[in-house]
Amino acid sequence: MKLNTQPDKKTVAIIRSLIMDGTRKANSGHPGGAMSSTDMAYILFKYYLKIDPDNSQWLNRDRFVLSAGHESMLLYALLHLQGYLPIDELKRFRQMNSLTPGHPEHGLTSGVDATTGPLGQGVGMAVGMAVAEAALAAQMGEDIIDHYTYVLAGDGDLQEPVSLGAAANAGHLGLGKLVLFYDKNNAQISGNTSRADSTNINKVFEGFGWQVLEIDGHDHVQISLAIDKAQEEKNRPAIIIGQTVMAKGAATVEGDFHTHGSPLSPEEIAATKVKSGLPGDKDFYVPEEVYNHFRSCFKENRKAVTAWNTLVKKKADANTDFAQKYQAILDNNLTPDLKVSNFKPGEKMATRASFGKTLAFFAQQTDTILGGSADLEPSNNTKAYADVSGEFTRNDHSGRNLSFAVREFPMATILNGIALHGGFRPFGATFLVFSDYAKPAMRLSALQKLPVLYTFTHDSFYVGEDGPTHQPIEQLAGLRALPGLLVFRPADARETTALMQLAFEINDKPVAMAFTRQGVPTLDVYNMEEKAKKGAYILSESEEEKPDIILIASGSEVHLALATAALLSDKKVRVVSMPCMELFDEQPQEYKDTVLPPDVRYRVSIEAGSTFGWGKYVAEGWSFGMDHFGASAPAGELEKEFGFTPENISRLVKERFHQ
Ligand SMILES: Cc1ncc(C[n+]2csc(CCOP(=O)(O)OP(=O)(O)O)c2C)c(N)n1
């Protein structure tokens, strides 16, 4: 790569000035790390990053993830030079309704490929993007999908274990088009990194099977050569460890960890600008020559995009499958019209089993589902799916089953990356109790409105012998508290298959599904599949008249509610199945009042989990659940011990109803 020493130096100085000016004007933000990363990010953006200057969403663009999300002013300065962000937005850094929030937000700012800020997760999302790139190239052709995924990480990112877990996956899968820049400036919030960490990242990444390149992160020639080397290596991801200096270029505070999170003083900023040959008194200053220099590659970029569009059109004209696939990706409509499985009423089946069967059936209908289990394949019942889909391996990217090993959090970040990339509907599986391990990434799924499907089996104390460590209590309540996440807990095979179909239809939200380990009967209810999609519906009624009592339940406790109602034959009892609170809450008031009439005040919720969150449905009734940990014993014994029997609950209903 031929560099242009003088204009490069000037452009880097301008980027650093924008970082200093933006954080100063906001009186908040993180200049130090952004300035130490500037040289590597600049060389990447100016000389390597393949983009469409006219369309930040171009499918075959190189992806860039700023895992060190606090360095957002660096990204905003680069996006400004790319033409995606007006200078006025840089002046409104961190202000209400600006396009330059404190940390980069995908979906808000053109050119931001991922929402970052929670350290480490950006690395995982980049791994997911690289997986999606490889898988999509296998389906659409390497002439259509052929891009790199770059990620910029700081010390904090690599101190967070999630990045290491995801990096282990990336090394195992040999993701050769993934390049990680490590801005090793040895400074973090509380001091120098040596206070807290002495990890040899070179050895760690070598151990993961990565190509390790160590350079002076301010030397443009070394940076460029390292990127060339990273690109030459086809079968291993690369980490470019750039030894850098905190607040590089600053007049007097270079190397000072305090610059991590405090804007530089006006005097320091002016002196720094003068030191680098810029006018000290001009803020947000970008001379025309810098734009021209930065954008000198745009002509080539546009030519490449035009050639790519022509190729896509040619392929689409020749092949309708290709044309449909391409359109589906652009429309984010990847799993339409999935047929549900047909389950026979009466048949007893764990919902994890109906989940597994449905997933495999869906995988026969579409090649857009991509995911797998965190080493619980036999328990999560994803084996049938894997058999249909084939394994995604370092040598075969056409398979669609991903084996994540025991890495729930990395798995979830990778799923986010797959969804961000486009082309696939990702899913991941583990036990419900371990959803906690994936939770921070689920939060980023919700924040980014990503259609990721989280599937959690072993959803209650009915797990039995594995004991309290494996018996979820508070997990459903915690997931329901996450804004923008839908939580489905189907009662039987028919609700399972219908709600899975719905989960794949929804393309702007993550969904978490909870499935039983134990068998439950398949119910014989008219039009159950459609009713379940309203979130809650009337399952049974003692008679046509208005009920005295409503039992509301989810999942396996729907059957317990039905059995309880049978013991309350002297009362008018309605049983409501509520597989999803959030969907029910969205229904028109009229529908909600039909299911839970406002004047029926005695309502009882039944769920084998924390009662937290059920209060809003039970009016003057109460909630039956598990507000304590379980125990290690056969499920049948636990059921009695914890009172999950029709006899116990009907007794309580009667006792309390008469009070
Ligand atoms: C998961 C997570 N924990 C804590 C933080 C708060 N935080 C933001 S930056 C930072 C220090 C990061 O240090 P480093 O990566 O070296 O960044 P630099 O100082 O080079 O900018 C911390 C602890 C965070 N953003 N995410």
Side-chain angles (χ1 to χ4, degrees):
M1 186 62 67
K2 199 170 163 339
L3 306 176
N4 294 284
T5 315
Q6 275 319 315
D8 286 344
K9 243 176 112 176
K10 183 153 191 178
T11 311
V12 162
I14 288 292
I15 295 170
R16 290 204 173 102
S17 302
L18 292 173
I19 293 166
M20 291 187 292
D21 290 344
T23 46
R24 180 73 262 158
K25 183 147 195 288
N27 196 21
S28 139
H30 303 80
M35 291 168 76
S36 69
S37 299
T38 300
D39 289 294
M40 291 193 290
Y42 165 71
I43 294 295
L44 173 68
F45 271 62
K46 166 72 180 86
Y47 291 104
Y48 290 90
L49 209 66
K50 182 173 68 179
I51 59 156
D52 178 353
D54 308 310
N55 173 16
S56 66
Q57 292 304 298
W58 178 40
L59 183 62
N60 195 35
R61 71 189 182 279
D62 285 339
R63 303 304 196 267
F64 176 76
V65 180
L66 182 68
S67 194
H70 60 282
E71 296 184 11
S72 53
M73 258 316 292
L74 167 63
L75 181 56
Y76 298 147
L78 291 162
L79 294 178
H80 171 63
L81 293 178
Q82 281 183 333
Y84 292 149
L85 249 184
I87 193 86
D88 283 349
E89 290 297 330
L90 271 61
K91 296 178 184 168
R92 302 208 308 120
F93 181 47
R94 295 186 156 227
Q95 305 309 305
M96 185 73 90
N97 297 327
S98 76
L99 297 176
T100 48
H103 295 83
E105 292 182 27
H106 170 71
L108 174 73
T109 313
S110 280
V112 171
D113 284 331
T115 295
T116 51
L119 293 172
Q121 292 202 50
V123 174
M125 288 189 275
V127 173
M129 291 175 186
V131 167
E133 191 272 344
L136 201 55
Q139 292 189 352
M140 299 187 78
E142 286 177 16
D143 48 348
I144 300 297
I145 301 298
D146 173 26
H147 68 78
Y148 288 92
T149 300
Y150 299 99
V151 50
L152 174 59
D155 300 301
D157 284 296
L158 299 190
Q159 287 167 3
E160 282 293 352
V162 64
S163 63
L164 303 182
N169 282 126
H172 175 72
L173 294 172
L175 300 172
K177 284 154 128 183
L178 175 65
V179 182
L180 190 164
F181 292 89
Y182 171 22
D183 174 44
K184 193 168 187 314
N185 60 26
N186 299 320
Q188 54 190 115
I189 290 186
S190 312
N192 291 331
T193 51
S194 55
R195 268 184 75 193
D197 197 19
S198 44
T199 305
N200 184 333
I201 284 291
N202 303 45
K203 286 195 174 155
V204 170
F205 275 72
E206 237 176 72
F208 289 154
W210 287 52
Q211 179 185 196
V212 179
L213 302 159
E214 195 166 358
I215 58 165
D216 173 344
H218 300 305
D219 181 320
H220 291 189
V221 174
Q222 289 190 33
I223 297 168
S224 171
L225 287 174
I227 300 175
D228 291 341
K229 270 198 178 157
Q231 294 190 344
E232 276 160 29
E233 171 70 66
K234 303 286 179 227
N235 301 316
R236 281 187 302 169
I239 179 169
I240 299 174
I241 303 177
Q243 297 285 352
T244 58
V245 176
M246 194 68 172
K248 175 70 178 173
T252 69
V253 294
E254 263 194 0
D256 185 344
F257 72 85
H258 292 101
T259 62
H260 165 91
S262 319
L264 308 190
S265 70
E267 298 73 31
E268 177 76 17
I269 293 174
T272 301
K273 287 178 182 170
V274 170
K275 185 181 151 197
S276 54
L278 302 176
D281 56 351
K282 284 194 181 169
D283 291 348
F284 298 99
Y285 168 63
V286 185
E288 207 50 38
E289 68 195 88
V290 163
Y291 288 119
N292 291 339
H293 172 60
F294 191 87
R295 296 174 184 175
S296 61
C297 54
F298 279 16
K299 213 170 139 197
E300 283 304 308
N301 280 329
R302 290 194 169 103
K303 249 169 74 185
V305 173
T306 306
W308 188 85
N309 283 330
T310 309
L311 186 62
V312 167
K313 188 163 178 332
K314 204 172 124 198
K315 280 188 123 173
D317 287 345
N319 180 337
T320 43
D321 284 352
F322 178 93
Q324 276 172 5
K325 183 161 198 78
Y326 182 60
Q327 197 53 46
I329 295 170
L330 294 189
D331 296 344
N332 187 21
N333 186 21
L334 295 161
T335 41
D337 310 320
L338 290 172
K339 286 193 282 295
V340 297
S341 303
N342 201 356
F343 293 111
K344 276 203 291 300
E347 197 177 347
K348 206 167 175 189
M349 187 186 287
T351 56
R352 66 168 166 155
S354 42
F355 153 66
K357 285 189 164 95
T358 302
L359 189 67
F361 185 47
F362 284 178
Q364 285 166 7
Q365 300 172 52
T366 178
D367 62 2
T368 54
I369 298 174
L370 178 64
S373 166
D375 192 39
L376 284 170
E377 191 172 276
S379 309
N380 293 150
N381 278 29
T382 54
K383 175 82 172 75
Y385 160 82
D387 289 344
V388 173
S389 304
E391 190 77 5
F392 179 101
T393 65
R394 61 186 304 131
N395 299 319
D396 182 359
H397 297 155
S398 66
R400 280 162 285 123
N401 184 65
L402 295 166
S403 292
F404 295 100
V406 194
R407 297 193 184 104
E408 297 82 3
F409 187 11
M411 169 175 79
T413 61
I414 290 169
L415 300 179
N416 283 339
I418 294 171
L420 284 164
H421 182 278
F424 295 97
R425 287 297 303 265
F427 83 95
T430 184
F431 287 160
L432 179 59
V433 81
F434 302 134
S435 63
D436 290 339
Y437 277 50
K439 192 75 175 298
M442 299 181 73
R443 187 166 193 275
L444 278 193
S445 312
L447 196 56
Q448 298 180 90
K449 302 186 168 58
L450 300 178
V452 175
L453 176 61
Y454 294 96
T455 56
F456 299 124
T457 67
H458 296 59
D459 71 350
S460 73
F461 74 82
Y462 283 98
V463 167
E465 292 85 344
D466 272 344
T469 54
H470 283 53
Q471 294 166 2
I473 299 295
E474 75 285 13
Q475 278 67 25
L476 286 168
L479 293 173
R480 287 173 182 143
L482 182 51
L485 174 73
L486 298 176
V487 182
F488 296 170
R489 186 167 184 252
D492 74 346
R494 291 178 66 192
E495 278 194 9
T496 297
T497 194
L499 290 172
M500 284 180 66
Q501 181 195 46
L502 178 64
F504 279 110
E505 272 166 19
I506 294 168
N507 62 14
D508 60 355
K509 273 191 185 94
V511 175
M513 299 192 73
F515 302 114
T516 66
R517 172 181 185 253
Q518 79 277 22
V520 287
T522 305
L523 295 171
D524 188 4
V525 177
Y526 172 71
N527 208 13
M528 194 174 173
E529 286 79 4
E530 287 314 305
K531 290 177 178 170
K533 292 179 182 175
K534 290 191 187 310
Y537 62 99
I538 303 167
L539 193 64
S540 82
E541 198 90 92
S542 61
E543 45 198 289
E544 286 303 305
E545 282 174 67
K546 215 164 60 193
D548 303 322
I549 299 171
I550 303 178
L551 302 180
I552 314 164
S554 83
S556 45
E557 287 66 64
V558 167
H559 309 279
L560 177 58
L562 288 170
T564 302
L567 296 184
L568 295 168
S569 51
D570 57 332
K571 308 262 181 316
K572 286 181 280 184
V573 182
R574 168 180 293 184
V575 175
V576 167
S577 173
M578 187 177 276
C580 179
M581 290 182 178
E582 299 83 17
L583 287 178
F584 180 67
D585 292 349
E586 282 173 8
Q587 298 305 316
Q589 194 60 43
E590 197 188 337
Y591 177 77
K592 289 195 271 195
D593 290 349
T594 318
V595 178
L596 301 177
D599 56 346
V600 181
R601 308 303 293 161
Y602 193 76
R603 308 176 194 160
V604 177
S605 71
I606 311 174
E607 184 172 73
S610 165
T611 55
F612 193 92
W614 280 102
K616 62 181 171 174
Y617 301 112
V618 298
E620 287 156 30
W622 44 281
S623 293
F624 187 80
M626 285 273 290
D627 290 311
H628 53 85
F629 292 122
S632 174
E637 280 178 44
L638 294 176
E639 187 175 61
K640 288 192 197 79
E641 175 70 18
F642 301 140
F644 279 74
T645 62
E647 294 75 22
N648 181 49
I649 299 176
S650 60
R651 178 182 59 77
L652 291 171
V653 168
K654 278 186 205 157
E655 266 174 31
R656 298 184 187 183
F657 186 62
H658 289 296
Q659 274 168 9

